[in-house]
Structures are given as C-alpha cells and as structure tokens.
Amino acid sequence: MANLIHLLLAFLFVSSTIASSDVPFIVAHKKATLTRLKSGVERVSVSIEIYNQGSSTAYDVTLNDASWPGDVFDIVSGETSKSWERLDAGGHLSHSFELEAKTKGMFHGSPAVITFRVPTKSALQEALSTPILPLDVLADRPPEKKFEWVKRLLAKYGSLISVVSFVVLFVYLVASPSKSAAKGSKKKR
C-alpha cells in the first residue's frame, strides 16, 4: 500500500511538472556554405532557422551570431544580428547573411545565441543554435569541372531518365498520326 501511495505521489508530481511547462522551447539550426567565386575570393553564406517547439509565444526574440571575426571575414550582405517582436508557438523564423573571407585557414565557428522573453519570467531566456562544421576557407582545391553536376545527375538518375524517355517516345508514336495513313486517306477521296 505504501508503494502505491509513493507511486501515486510521483505520478502527480510528474504530471504537475508537465502541466506547468507552458513555455516556449526554442530550437535553432545554423548552416554555413562556402562558394568559390574566383581564385582567392570565397564567400560564406550563413543561414539560421529558429523554431518555437514550445506551447507558448516567445517575445522580444533576438539573434546574435558574433562568431565571425572582422579580421577574417567582411560582411557582404545582411547583418549578423536580428530582432523580432515575437515567435508564436509552432512558429518559424529565418535569417541569413553573406560574408567574404579575407584569410586562408580552418575556421571553427561557435553557435549563434538567441535570447527571448517569457511572460511569466522577468529574466531573459537564452538558447543556442547548432554549431557549424569547421570551414576550410580559401583552401587549395582543384577547380571544379563545369559539367560535373551533369555527370552526378546522370549517374544518380540515368536509368529513370531513360525509362521516362522511352515512355514519352512510345506515347508520341502512338498518339501522333502516321504520314502514310494521312496519304492513304487523301487517295481514297
């Protein structure tokens, strides 16, 4: 009987904890991609997706990504920080900016910081984005071949393309009138 009472009390505690968790739950994904424009010039495109997976609205949402030092990168477009008035439960925000690399080497970026306010708490809450993989900026890479993507596409979808081509050709041959049938119908008239 005592075990049953303890189990009932534990269940009530857990259910009250879950019921009182009416707060935003912020999940953020940070992604960075390198684009080589020409020899010695490389750009970094950064995108950050912010999701509210909680059950209430987050207010005064601020994103700050200060992991890009000015001596290594120049901002080409956008800003590394942004603010929004609110992020509703189940909502999604996104922000992106572009940088240009100034120096060569490996770069290890840190997660972006997202701060937000919850109506029931006076202190700002903080969430971190996912970290990015190390970037090998201005690395010595062999030049990409212009039609490399075509080869990869054909290797991946070649059989599907050939089957679809045969089906389209068959439908065209069946649906279009033949020239000999057209000539024969003119002679009969």
Side-chain angles (χ1 to χ4, degrees):
M1 186 67 172
N3 286 340
L4 183 59
I5 293 173
H6 285 111
L7 185 63
L8 183 60
L9 287 174
F11 176 76
L12 288 174
F13 175 75
V14 168
S15 63
S16 68
T17 304
I18 291 172
S20 67
S21 65
D22 187 27
V23 295
F25 181 71
I26 303 297
V27 178
H29 176 67
K30 178 178 172 181
K31 180 181 174 186
T33 55
L34 291 171
T35 305
R36 172 93 30 120
L37 300 177
K38 58 183 178 180
S39 181
V41 179
E42 195 162 38
R43 291 215 173 146
V44 181
S45 299
V46 181
S47 65
I48 302 168
E49 305 290 326
I50 304 170
Y51 303 92
N52 182 354
Q53 298 296 318
S55 57
S56 69
T57 301
Y59 295 95
D60 301 329
V61 179
T62 303
L63 165 71
N64 187 13
D65 189 8
S67 64
W68 308 97
D71 60 331
V72 180
F73 297 99
D74 281 330
I75 297 176
V76 175
S77 66
E79 297 291 326
T80 59
S81 63
K82 175 126 174 135
S83 296
W84 297 271
E85 184 179 323
R86 62 188 288 158
L87 176 56
D88 293 327
H92 166 255
L93 298 170
S94 67
H95 179 64
S96 60
F97 54 94
E98 195 169 37
L99 308 162
E100 190 168 301
K102 291 196 260 183
T103 60
K104 179 180 178 177
M106 287 296 285
F107 177 74
H108 301 274
S110 59
V113 178
I114 298 97
T115 56
F116 58 97
R117 188 175 51 79
V118 178
T120 58
K121 297 181 181 175
S122 61
L124 281 175
Q125 305 296 309
E126 188 175 282
L128 298 175
S129 72
T130 56
I132 59 170
L133 295 173
L135 299 173
D136 195 2
V137 180
L138 295 172
D140 295 326
R141 290 187 214 107
E144 291 186 26
K145 297 176 184 146
K146 292 189 184 252
F147 296 105
E148 190 65 32
W149 62 274
V150 174
K151 289 181 185 176
R152 279 188 265 128
L153 190 66
L154 286 175
K156 190 172 186 179
Y157 299 109
S159 60
L160 180 64
I161 291 171
S162 64
V163 168
V164 169
S165 299
F166 283 127
V167 169
V168 168
L169 180 64
F170 178 76
V171 169
Y172 173 75
L173 291 174
V174 169
S176 65
S178 68
K179 291 182 181 178
S180 63
K183 288 179 184 178
S185 64
K186 287 181 184 177
K187 290 180 182 176
K188 290 180 183 178
R189 288 184 189 183

